[in-house]
Amino acid sequence: MKNLNLVFVALLFVCASPVQAQSVDEIISNYFENTGGYAKWGELKNIKMSAKVNQGGLEIPLEIVQTAEGRQYTKINFQGQVIMQGVFDGETLWGTNFQTMKAEKADAEATEIQKLEKNDFPESLYNYKTKGYNVELSGKETMDGTETFKVKLTKEPITVDGQKVENITYYFFDVESFVLLAVESEIKSGPAKGMISQSKMSDYQEVNGLYFPFKLTQGVKGQGGQAITLDAIELNVEVNEKDFAYPDGE
């Protein structure tokens, strides 16, 4: 009888594994379906966001563009000056140096990390299996009073300071609506190395049949964060190719 019980427990374990994997796929599928539909997300060519941040009572406008080819930029309008940050044309990652106010290329490691993310539009979780990523359910966690599913995404390792390190992101989905409420990952370099980067999303609104968060808070977990309010989102618009290009002569 004891051996029979052990066999029964083993069978339960074998049967439980695919159930957990299935539930993770259901969570991800429900998220995309509830925010517009998996097929419609796949039709996106680019996203253009108009936003603003508040710094010491001063409102700073932002323009953020992301494309299906992995190109991107953030354009900051500050006191009559245009400051480009996180610009990637598919090969070169660059931004404006705040001290010299001149364009400056990122180092080789940062550029290679950005190249790994070229196929992550519109979201890393979209078609994650095709990309070779792995997901697993890490249980439930309460986020600002709301119960969430905690999903762990593991992507290909990245190189930081010459060493290969794991590349893990945690996603937190509302257990009732499956809406994405937060994203967390470990900061791998810089003064905040080892801390947890956290982005929170709220105020989902419909744009051409897809739902996007119009309020974001980004920062280090447990230390508050920078609030970003989106004024408008445009989909599949014409983009200026010059905005992605590294300035000649810089």
Side-chain angles (χ1 to χ4, degrees):
M1 180 63 70
K2 181 178 181 180
N3 289 339
L4 183 60
N5 286 338
L6 289 175
V7 171
F8 181 68
V9 170
L11 285 173
L12 280 178
F13 179 80
V14 171
C15 293
S17 297
V19 170
Q20 176 169 316
Q22 178 69 28
S23 66
V24 172
D25 283 339
E26 286 177 350
I27 292 167
I28 296 172
S29 178
N30 284 334
Y31 162 61
F32 285 111
E33 290 301 329
N34 289 0
T35 54
Y38 220 93
K40 193 167 182 64
W41 278 107
E43 294 170 358
L44 268 184
K45 302 301 181 184
N46 60 54
I47 302 172
K48 180 180 179 181
M49 295 172 276
S50 299
K52 58 178 176 287
V53 298
N54 191 300
Q55 290 281 1
L58 182 65
E59 253 186 19
I60 303 175
L62 307 176
E63 179 181 287
I64 305 165
V65 170
Q66 299 173 334
T67 76
E69 301 85 11
R71 296 179 299 161
Q72 66 176 42
Y73 70 74
T74 296
K75 184 184 295 185
I76 305 169
N77 287 286
F78 182 68
Q79 296 182 341
Q81 290 185 305
V82 175
I83 303 171
M84 303 296 287
Q85 291 294 304
V87 188
F88 185 62
D89 63 3
E91 291 295 329
T92 302
L93 178 64
W94 63 277
T96 303
N97 184 307
F98 282 99
Q99 293 182 329
T100 65
M101 295 305 295
K102 292 184 177 181
E104 186 175 272
K105 293 182 180 179
D107 60 38
E109 285 188 349
T111 301
E112 288 306 310
I113 291 172
Q114 190 63 49
K115 287 181 178 180
L116 290 176
E117 298 179 358
K118 285 173 65 172
N119 67 341
D120 283 359
F121 183 92
E123 165 58 59
S124 298
L125 288 173
Y126 193 84
N127 287 339
Y128 77 89
K129 292 180 181 178
T130 303
K131 299 169 185 175
Y133 301 162
N134 181 66
V135 300
E136 57 185 287
L137 181 59
S138 297
K140 294 181 179 179
E141 187 168 316
T142 300
M143 180 74 63
D144 295 332
T146 301
E147 189 176 28
T148 68
F149 291 115
K150 182 178 181 180
V151 174
K152 178 182 178 182
L153 171 70
T154 303
K155 299 166 56 174
E156 62 266 77
I158 58 176
T159 301
V160 179
D161 297 330
Q163 302 292 323
K164 289 286 186 182
V165 297
E166 61 185 10
N167 189 5
I168 294 173
T169 303
Y170 290 95
Y171 293 78
F172 299 83
F173 297 93
D174 187 310
V175 297
E176 294 183 358
S177 66
F178 296 97
V179 167
L180 182 62
L181 298 183
V183 177
E184 294 181 354
S185 61
E186 182 182 341
I187 300 171
K188 302 296 185 181
S189 61
K193 182 178 180 179
M195 297 182 182
I196 302 300
S197 169
Q198 184 184 69
S199 298
K200 293 183 178 181
M201 303 84 173
S202 61
D203 189 22
Y204 276 79
Q205 298 181 31
E206 185 265 337
V207 180
N208 296 351
L210 296 174
Y211 286 82
F212 296 86
F214 272 66
K215 290 185 179 179
L216 309 171
T217 303
Q218 299 180 337
V220 175
K221 185 175 182 179
Q223 297 185 17
Q226 175 66 62
I228 303 174
T229 302
L230 274 66
D231 298 314
I233 295 178
E234 300 173 81
L235 308 180
N236 300 334
V237 299
E238 288 189 18
V239 295
N240 188 345
E241 300 299 325
K242 293 182 180 179
D243 284 331
F244 301 99
Y246 187 75
D248 292 333
E250 296 285 351

